[in-house]
Amino acid sequence: MSTGQTHHGLSPEQLQAYRTDGYVVGDRLLRPERFAALKDHFERKIAALPPGDRPEDMDVPHFTDPELFRWLFDPDVLDVVESVLGPDIALFTSHFFCKPAGDGKSVPWHTDGYFWREMIEPAGQAMTIWLAIDPSTLENGCMKVVPGSHTGQDGRYQRAAAEHSVFDEELDQSQVAVDRALPVQLRPNQYSIHNAGLVHSSEVNRSSLRRCGFTMRYISTGVRFRHDVVGHKHQIFLARGRDRAGNVYADPGRAHPELVATRGKGQRFVGAERG
């Protein structure tokens, strides 16, 4: 793992670490004023969260809050993505993973690609940028990863055993090299990148400190988005370059509330409107 900072994408050392380990950490993603604006925007969104709705469930917020494209399409962010995926980039999805102090839910062992197999082909070709809004530490449930696990095949999944879990499925833990897992601890505006095949998880937050990260997920435009199968509830957006797979792209300049009408509870939160 490398923590070297660049302003035009990943350094060669970071890129090699990502390819070898399936993840890498960077010291700063957004310019300070842009990060401050994102944090302020998020604080307003979470303050508007309807009573009883869990903050862990703030999935696909860009569908109903187009202002988020200010950061999802930020040139410094896309430079990092281009280092990994090349110049033709689509935004796949995003999520605010926010664990409140005291009772923040866990995320069981999994690979992201397992949950995306009906949406994109190949599902393992997506990448995630996990940007720390708050400090992310062992105490408040930071992400843990198994380095090098992205080169294996998806194992068996079962019903999630944890009562306070974000997902209802998890990898059979007999197939997870838990003894090799490493914590990814981040300061605000630090970030990690991980491959869709990387085995990772995070524990409950029993601490007095909230833990929030903004996940921004991208694919090469050479990856096929299965618009014919999931287009009624999900869309991708052309972020940089040109299409290379005949994909259909949505308009980032408007909200898409129709896409979340058929999604589960927790994926319908509108929050801050544009303007």
Side-chain angles (χ1 to χ4, degrees), residues 18 29 68-69 71-74 77-78 80-82 85 89-94 116 120 125-129 194 196 214-221 223 237 239-240:
Y18 175 80
L29 184 63
L68 289 172
F69 285 96
W71 300 283
L72 294 164
F73 285 3
D74 184 280
V77 173
L78 295 182
V80 170
V81 177
E82 184 169 334
L85 299 181
I89 302 166
L91 174 74
F92 176 43
T93 191
S94 74
W116 299 338
I120 55 175
Q125 294 301 307
M127 62 168 284
T128 294
I129 296 181
H194 66 265
F214 187 32
T215 62
M216 300 172 274
R217 308 182 190 272
Y218 301 89
I219 56 174
S220 162
T221 64
V223 171
F237 300 81
R240 178 178 282 183

Side-chain angles (χ1 to χ4, degrees), residues 55-254:
E56 295 96 339
D57 293 336
M58 296 172 70
D59 196 11
V60 292
H62 61 290
F63 283 171
T64 49
D65 184 4
E67 189 71 12
L68 289 172
F69 285 96
R70 288 175 52 192
W71 300 283
L72 294 164
F73 285 3
D74 184 280
D76 290 342
V77 173
L78 295 182
D79 284 350
V80 170
V81 177
E82 184 169 334
S83 299
V84 177
L85 299 181
D88 302 314
I89 302 166
L91 174 74
F92 176 43
T93 191
S94 74
H95 193 149
F96 283 111
F97 274 107
C98 184
K99 296 184 182 184
D103 70 342
K105 292 185 177 182
S106 66
V107 179
W109 291 108
H110 71 286
T111 67
D112 295 334
Y114 173 79
F115 295 101
W116 299 338
R117 61 198 186 281
E118 72 165 358
M119 302 175 72
I120 55 175
E121 293 179 342
Q125 294 301 307
M127 62 168 284
T128 294
I129 296 181
W130 202 106
L131 173 63
I133 303 295
D134 302 324
S136 185
T137 68
L138 278 169
E139 289 73 25
N140 68 0
C142 69
M143 185 168 66
K144 294 183 178 180
V145 302
V146 179
S149 57
H150 63 300
T151 60
Q153 299 294 319
D154 266 334
R156 296 188 305 273
Y157 277 75
Q158 59 190 18
R159 296 292 296 179
E163 179 183 354
H164 302 288
S165 173
V166 171
F167 299 152
D168 59 5
E169 290 185 86
E170 64 180 353
L171 268 171
D172 183 335
Q173 289 204 26
S174 68
Q175 302 181 13
V176 178
V178 177
D179 59 325
R180 293 179 45 233
L182 297 176
V184 182
Q185 301 191 80
L186 302 171
R187 299 186 302 275
N189 206 19
Q190 280 192 312
Y191 65 99
S192 64
I193 307 169
H194 66 265
N195 181 281
L198 186 74
V199 175
H200 60 289
S201 72
S202 65
E203 297 179 2
V204 296
N205 180 14
R206 303 296 188 195
S207 78
S208 60
L209 179 67
R210 186 187 73 180
R211 191 221 69 164
C212 178
F214 187 32
T215 62
M216 300 172 274
R217 308 182 190 272
Y218 301 89
I219 56 174
S220 162
T221 64
V223 171
R224 187 171 80 90
F225 171 62
R226 301 185 67 189
H227 183 271
D228 56 329
V229 176
V230 296
H232 63 291
K233 64 178 181 179
H234 196 89
Q235 290 288 303
I236 61 174
F237 300 81
L238 185 62
R240 178 178 282 183
R242 62 183 180 86
D243 174 66
R244 295 194 288 109
N247 287 318
V248 175
Y249 299 97
D251 178 5
R254 70 171 184 88

